Amino acid sequence: MKPGTRRAVGLALTSLTALAAFVIVAVLAIILFNIAENGAAGVTWTFLTQPPEDGMMGGGIFPAIFGTAALTLLMTVAVMPVGVLTAVYLHEYAPPNSLFARIVRVAVVNLAGVPSIVFGLFGLGFFILFVGQGMDRALGHEEMYWAQPGLLWASLTLAVLTLPVVIVSTEEALRAVPMDHRTASLALGATQSQTLARVVLPGALPGILTGAVLAISRGAGEVAPILFTGAAYFLPDLPTHLNSQFMHLGYHTYVMATQSPDVEATRPLLYSTVLVLLLLTFALNLVAVIIRTRTRRKAAGAH
Amino acid sequence: MEQGLSQPLVAPSLSPAARRRQLREKVIAGLITLMAFTGIAALILIIIFVAKEALGLFMDAEARHEASLSKMFLAQDVPVGRPAFRWQPVSKVPKVSMIPLFVGTLKTTVVSMMVAVPLGVFGALFAAEFAPRRLRELLKPVIELLAGIPSVVLGFFALMVMSTVVKDVFHFDRPLNAMLAGLGLALAIVPVIFTVSEDALTAVPRSYREASLALGATPWETAWKVVLPAAAPGILAACVLGFGRAIGETMIVLMASGNADVISWSLGDSARSLSATIAAEMGEVVVGSPHYSLLFFIGVQLFLFTFVLNMLASTWTRRVVRKLTGGAA
């Protein structure tokens, strides 16, 4: 190839790849701008604190915000101990080249790739029909109490879905704790569990928190798994029990966007709901990024 | 690491306190190991309980008649005469052909791949090879932000904003169609393809690039003929992962595809995907009915498709790492 052609091809390829990167960023900007522009005016104090009115043509979205918060809180409480301890096993306790650890890793990778709607089916088949019915039978409930969609089952379904997120980020956090800290603790006569509780876990805490926040932001936005495990179309009352159905920001968005009798009338409310959901997930992601960069800087400063 | 702790030299002389301590350590280690089972258990329970509900199709005589495998996968005479494939499980004579669902899923997935693969891979190549460090450090969090958008929001955006644009640009009759769903899906899988490709590209050792540049190759020749081929299995893995996500993604297709069971290869027609069918119909189905089992059977198929794709992707990712670390050492 002549030098001129070479340079031209090089320039073309470089601009082509730059264009691809630019298109991705531009699309993101368009989405954010469109939603912010159309939704911002409607996000008022009343909107955030009132229940919907007039067949969801007016009022606010407080029950949906509350439902989303309750759901993700329960999910976090369920997923964190299991996820963190699984990661602790993989990084601190598993013998090197352990077959069991390898199988656990493969399972976690595959769990991360299972479609979210299949988690919904699993929640229905396992939690509601198997565990729920079993509990009703064991407790002697005449009517369905546990064997119906509700807050608890939806939370547990989401907990299974976010398990890989927590395991992977906790393992990364454990890897960042210097080996010296462990050996120093053990040399002072501490047992392995004491080392874990007083040295390793506190050292990995920021990373573990990052994992928690990422899991929450992922779980808060998922709709498919809660479609038939607990989300409800319209409930002006807040959920009071673990078996209550609940409203959810994402499900509310889906229902209003696809089943509203008058899309034009609900459009402003819909945009504001989407904006709230988006701000919520972005705020959580941002918190995760901040914790991560802070820890990295601290780790870099220590060495 | 814990050699001195777990193998005391003179076991009998341990004090009772030390023995208690040892016992406690064993119990804690056992509990932590037990926790590690949950990942495996979850995966196994998912397949068992989804398959268990699908089993009704094969166990129950009525269901076997209403939704036999031949009715699902072969052409049926509907109503009489012309063989056809229809998915109408709630009509008087239920028609349960899976073929329209396969066609719909394939159509939306292929559209999304045609858009997302070039964007994701080229974007990653730009970030890894050509972009100045500052720009690159900006690009990564921006794409993470895109990954953080809930899919219901992307579905909403496709439905409210993109639908009119797509309809006008391509002169389609319907606002909701396979093309729109595919483009919406592309938004969801671009971040996956970008991130995994970028990881694979940055894993290529510096020495490869330096050797290529030292031989007189230009930066783009190095990127195109050295770095890209070296990272090829990883990029393939990225595409396979993206493909798996696109097959399983539910909300975007549910909101943007129009959900009609038509068999056509036209992108302007509505499409009905496997995942969206479950989401749309499970709410109104009678527990234990043939239709109910059928939806779980679709779930089993989705699980198996994505399981195979994930295994392929992780094998290829490992191959990149082994090739590059083994080759360099």
Side-chain angles (χ1 to χ4, degrees):
Chain A
M1 242 189 273
K2 279 188 206 150
T5 336
R6 253 176 103 184
R7 213 177 305 134
V9 173
L11 196 66
L13 187 74
T14 317
S15 2
L16 193 68
T17 58
L19 183 71
F22 172 76
V23 168
I24 303 175
V25 177
V27 168
L28 179 72
I30 292 172
I31 296 177
L32 299 188
F33 184 75
N34 179 271
I35 290 171
E37 191 193 17
N38 289 292
V43 184
T44 57
W45 184 244
T46 341
F47 182 70
L48 296 176
T49 53
Q50 296 300 314
E53 287 159 12
D54 310 330
M56 307 223 271
M57 309 283 265
I61 50 166
F62 182 69
I65 297 177
F66 184 88
T68 311
L71 176 75
T72 40
L73 186 72
L74 273 174
M75 172 205 86
T76 315
V77 170
V79 74
M80 286 313 286
V82 179
V84 168
L85 287 181
T86 304
V88 163
Y89 168 78
L90 288 175
H91 197 260
E92 309 287 319
Y93 280 86
N97 298 322
S98 138
L99 180 69
F100 176 61
R102 246 187 345 223
I103 298 175
V104 172
R105 282 211 170 83
V106 171
V108 169
V109 166
N110 277 296
L111 205 57
V114 173
S116 53
I117 190 75
V118 176
F119 281 102
L121 292 179
F122 166 67
L124 178 60
F126 179 67
F127 288 125
I128 297 177
L129 295 179
F130 183 73
V131 181
Q133 257 174 20
M135 279 168 71
D136 279 350
R137 222 168 284 142
L139 300 171
H141 289 296
E142 291 294 314
E143 288 169 7
M144 284 195 302
Y145 186 80
W146 291 111
Q148 59 177 1
L151 194 52
L152 180 66
W153 303 139
S155 309
L156 291 181
T157 306
L158 282 184
V160 182
L161 179 120
T162 47
L163 190 61
V165 181
V166 176
I167 295 176
V168 169
S169 50
T170 304
E171 222 194 322
E172 203 176 297
L174 293 172
R175 211 172 292 137
V177 176
M179 204 40 95
D180 304 354
H181 294 192
R182 295 184 185 85
T183 43
S185 165
L186 293 170
L188 287 170
T191 63
Q192 198 179 2
S193 69
Q194 286 167 336
T195 306
L196 179 70
R198 313 238 175 105
V199 178
V200 179
L201 284 182
L205 193 62
I208 294 173
L209 287 179
T210 312
V213 176
L214 285 177
I216 295 173
S217 113
R218 172 89 199 276
E222 283 287 350
V223 180
I226 61 167
L227 282 175
F228 16 87
T229 53
Y233 179 76
F234 176 62
L235 283 175
D237 299 325
L238 301 181
T240 49
H241 290 93
L242 285 176
N243 72 333
S244 310
Q245 293 208 319
F246 54 92
M247 286 185 75
H248 182 268
L249 284 170
Y251 187 61
H252 193 59
T253 304
Y254 162 63
V255 170
M256 286 216 299
T258 55
Q259 285 156 37
S260 170
D262 186 355
V263 177
E264 279 313 308
T266 48
R267 202 181 157 91
L269 283 176
L270 188 49
Y271 262 107
S272 301
T273 309
V274 172
L275 183 60
V276 170
L277 176 59
L278 208 52
L279 285 177
L280 189 79
T281 47
F282 277 2
L284 288 167
N285 275 316
L286 200 66
V287 170
V289 170
I290 291 171
I291 300 176
R292 209 182 329 170
T293 41
R294 262 208 182 156
T295 354
R296 270 200 201 135
R297 203 170 303 144
K298 217 193 248 169
H303 287 283
Chain B
M1 197 161 97
E2 85 263 51
Q3 242 169 16
L5 293 169
S6 56
Q7 294 175 329
L9 287 174
V10 197
S13 70
L14 275 180
S15 68
R19 217 171 292 157
R20 267 204 305 277
R21 209 165 92 133
Q22 224 176 32
L23 187 70
R24 207 185 56 205
E25 286 302 303
K26 274 208 182 109
V27 169
I28 292 173
L31 283 177
I32 290 176
T33 312
L34 200 66
M35 277 296 180
F37 268 106
T38 32
I40 305 174
L43 200 64
I44 295 174
L45 286 177
I46 287 176
I47 188 63
I48 288 180
F49 278 89
V50 176
K52 180 175 157 256
E53 302 295 324
L55 216 58
L57 277 184
F58 306 99
M59 306 302 283
D60 184 52
E62 182 209 350
R64 243 191 339 243
H65 174 71
E66 189 175 316
S68 62
L69 282 176
S70 71
K71 284 187 178 165
M72 282 183 230
F73 297 106
L74 301 174
Q76 294 298 309
D77 295 350
V78 183
V80 263
R82 220 152 42 88
F85 301 96
R86 303 292 307 180
W87 172 265
Q88 280 160 0
V90 276
S91 65
K92 210 169 219 170
V93 182
K95 303 168 192 79
V96 296
S97 175
M98 298 257 168
I99 308 298
L101 309 184
F102 286 136
V103 171
T105 307
L106 201 64
K107 259 204 304 194
T108 51
T109 306
V110 167
V111 171
S112 72
M113 292 299 282
M114 304 265 271
V115 176
V117 167
L119 275 185
V121 174
F122 280 176
L125 197 62
F126 179 72
E129 297 299 307
F130 301 123
R133 207 171 59 95
R134 275 252 186 87
L135 189 60
R136 178 183 168 183
E137 278 174 8
L138 197 74
L139 207 54
K140 283 179 82 165
V142 163
I143 287 172
E144 268 175 39
L145 213 57
L146 185 61
I149 298 182
S151 60
V152 69
V153 174
L154 295 176
F156 163 81
F157 183 74
L159 182 71
M160 301 296 271
V161 182
M162 286 162 68
S163 58
T164 36
V165 180
V166 170
K167 186 172 174 255
D168 291 346
V169 170
F170 295 97
H171 305 291
F172 289 149
D173 301 331
R174 296 179 185 75
L176 302 183
N177 50 57
M179 177 67 114
L180 181 68
L183 290 176
L185 274 182
L187 297 177
I189 60 172
V190 154
V192 178
I193 298 181
F194 177 90
T195 318
V196 180
S197 301
E198 217 253 357
D199 283 347
L201 289 167
T202 40
V204 176
R206 274 181 75 91
S207 56
Y208 284 35
R209 295 187 182 86
E210 281 158 3
S212 164
L213 293 172
L215 287 170
T218 58
W220 76 265
E221 283 170 332
T222 305
W224 192 250
K225 296 185 182 162
V226 177
V227 181
L228 201 60
I235 289 174
L236 193 63
C239 297
V240 168
L241 272 183
F243 191 67
R245 288 287 157 82
I247 287 182
E249 174 54 55
T250 309
M251 298 313 291
I252 297 173
V253 191
L254 185 63
M255 293 168 86
S257 69
N259 289 321
D261 66 322
V262 285
I263 301 192
S264 82
W265 295 107
S266 159
L267 297 178
D269 285 331
S270 295
R272 191 176 189 89
S273 80
L274 293 164
S275 56
T277 301
I278 303 177
E281 295 173 12
M282 188 52 97
E284 279 115 49
V285 80
V286 180
V287 172
S289 66
H291 184 195
Y292 168 89
S293 304
L294 210 51
L295 295 179
F296 273 89
F297 185 58
I298 297 177
V300 171
Q301 294 173 46
L302 277 177
F303 181 92
L304 294 178
F305 289 150
T306 48
F307 188 85
V308 169
L309 291 175
N310 268 302
M311 293 306 268
L312 283 179
S314 62
T315 315
W316 281 324
T317 323
R318 225 175 305 131
R319 195 170 294 171
V320 167
V321 174
R322 201 182 311 134
K323 188 167 106 184
L324 295 177
T325 50

